[in-house]
Amino acid sequence: MKTKLKTLNAVLLAVLAVFAFSCSMEDDNSNISEGMAKVNVFLVDAPADYDAVWVEVLAVEILPKGENENNGSAWINLANEASDDNMINLLELTGGNSAHLGEIEVPAGEISQIRLILGDNNYLVQGDRQIDLKTPSAQQSGLKLKVDKPLQAGIAYDIVIDFDAGRSIVRAGNSGQYILKPVLRVVAEESATIEGVVLPLEAGPVNVAAIIGEDTVSTFTSDNGSFMIRGLRAGNYSLFVVPNEEYQELLVEDVETTLSQVTNVGTIELELVPEDDGDGDGDGNGDD
């Protein structure tokens, strides 16, 4: 999927986003310059009902607190580590997988805003069809997100952007065009994580949703059955596990999360749907 780097002509952000920040006292923190903090930016994805959703990530920019957002030189550009041609398949960023968009040292203090800059080579794949994703002109002026995150000198921080591919793609009426309106989820505080494994692998694809109150965050398991849901607030969650039609859905309750910690739920074993024995009760034993 090679493509030339295009002019930064599509700044696409949206209504909601997730920036899950976690301080890490890593061994390499001693290499951070005096008076500076290190920021790493990662991209993850919520599930979508497509075979692939490719976006062209050109840049990520950070605006320090107190700087004028209309001053282009005030934005700090992270080195882009997406891929050689800047293309990322969002649907590969599930099950704990992520794309490292870059890292940068910034002056300690506070981040005011962040923005993601995409090119115009964005498309989805459905079966043997490749469908271009159009970009509304209103978004090309640049929708910026408030972050207001304090940064302490000598500390490395992770910013996780959760790009909801399913909700970000809209089919436009009778034209048949597909429009890209990025929907991102934002948490400007320390966050919690839930991880685990769903077996058997034959139950895939498996969707795992973390539910608390009226909030739901979901992902798909990876090829080895693992999943990771990041950017969560602390609290008691229920996990709703939805496999393919051959296996039974499962609700795992009372999953307690804590800020800045990973809650491992271990291995979740799914059972086959009972065969229909013809008596209508679905128990497979043939009794009336």
Side-chain angles (χ1 to χ4, degrees), residues 79-141:
N80 185 7
E81 297 183 4
S83 64
D84 291 341
D85 57 8
N86 306 297
M87 298 300 294
I88 295 178
N89 180 6
L90 294 176
L91 300 194
E92 293 180 347
L93 308 182
T94 59
N97 297 322
S98 63
H100 186 208
L101 299 184
E103 66 177 42
I104 193 72
E105 286 192 2
V106 297
E110 190 170 341
I111 291 176
S112 172
Q113 299 182 50
I114 189 169
R115 66 184 180 186
L116 178 68
I117 300 177
L118 303 183
D120 57 7
N121 187 24
N122 307 300
Y123 60 90
L124 63 85
V125 177
Q126 229 173 1
D128 58 357
R129 298 174 62 206
Q130 178 176 313
I131 304 170
D132 290 338
L133 294 172
K134 305 299 180 182
T135 303
S137 58
Q139 292 189 27
Q140 294 181 5
S141 61

Side-chain angles (χ1 to χ4, degrees), residues 11-288:
V11 180
L12 299 175
L13 290 178
V15 189
L16 298 170
V18 137
F19 303 105
F21 289 84
S22 58
C23 302
S24 57
M25 299 298 293
E26 301 172 349
D27 293 339
D28 65 348
N29 281 2
S30 59
N31 297 325
I32 299 176
S33 304
E34 184 176 355
M36 307 290 281
K38 180 182 290 185
V39 175
N40 283 278
V41 180
F42 298 88
L43 185 67
V44 299
D45 177 37
D49 191 21
Y50 304 104
D51 293 323
V53 177
W54 289 91
V55 294
E56 184 182 25
V57 177
L58 298 180
V60 178
E61 297 182 343
I62 293 174
L63 185 68
K65 187 76 171 181
E67 296 288 349
N68 186 345
E69 65 181 67
N70 296 319
N71 179 6
S73 62
W75 291 85
I76 301 173
N77 194 308
L78 278 73
N80 185 7
E81 297 183 4
S83 64
D84 291 341
D85 57 8
N86 306 297
M87 298 300 294
I88 295 178
N89 180 6
L90 294 176
L91 300 194
E92 293 180 347
L93 308 182
T94 59
N97 297 322
S98 63
H100 186 208
L101 299 184
E103 66 177 42
I104 193 72
E105 286 192 2
V106 297
E110 190 170 341
I111 291 176
S112 172
Q113 299 182 50
I114 189 169
R115 66 184 180 186
L116 178 68
I117 300 177
L118 303 183
D120 57 7
N121 187 24
N122 307 300
Y123 60 90
L124 63 85
V125 177
Q126 229 173 1
D128 58 357
R129 298 174 62 206
Q130 178 176 313
I131 304 170
D132 290 338
L133 294 172
K134 305 299 180 182
T135 303
S137 58
Q139 292 189 27
Q140 294 181 5
S141 61
L143 300 177
K144 306 177 185 70
L145 291 168
K146 296 290 185 181
V147 179
D148 297 328
K149 176 64 183 179
L151 302 180
Q152 182 179 342
I155 301 296
Y157 293 81
D158 291 343
I159 301 178
V160 179
I161 304 175
D162 190 352
F163 197 129
D164 192 331
R167 295 171 58 200
S168 299
I169 298 172
V170 179
R171 189 167 185 177
N174 297 327
S175 70
Q177 290 186 338
Y178 285 79
I179 300 174
L180 180 62
K181 296 182 177 180
V183 174
L184 311 170
R185 192 173 57 95
V186 101
V187 177
E189 60 182 19
E190 296 297 330
S191 61
T193 298
I194 299 174
E195 68 177 10
V197 177
V198 179
L199 295 177
L201 298 180
E202 290 75 16
V206 179
N207 180 267
V208 183
I211 305 169
I212 185 170
E214 297 182 355
D215 295 333
T216 300
V217 183
S218 62
T219 189
F220 279 109
T221 55
S222 63
D223 291 341
N224 63 4
S226 65
F227 69 90
M228 179 179 290
I229 304 176
R230 293 183 278 201
L232 303 174
R233 57 189 172 99
N236 190 290
Y237 286 80
S238 295
L239 293 182
F240 188 42
V241 184
V242 182
N244 62 42
E245 60 185 10
E246 296 182 0
Y247 286 80
Q248 299 183 60
E249 298 173 351
L250 182 66
L251 184 66
V252 180
E253 298 183 295
D254 298 325
V255 178
E256 195 69 32
T257 63
T258 304
L259 294 181
S260 303
Q261 294 187 17
V262 177
T263 300
N264 191 315
V265 298
T267 300
I268 299 173
E269 294 282 352
L270 300 180
E271 297 183 357
L272 285 165
V273 173
E275 294 183 5
D276 187 357
D277 54 21
D279 64 5
D281 60 8
D283 61 5
N285 62 19
D287 296 332
D288 292 330

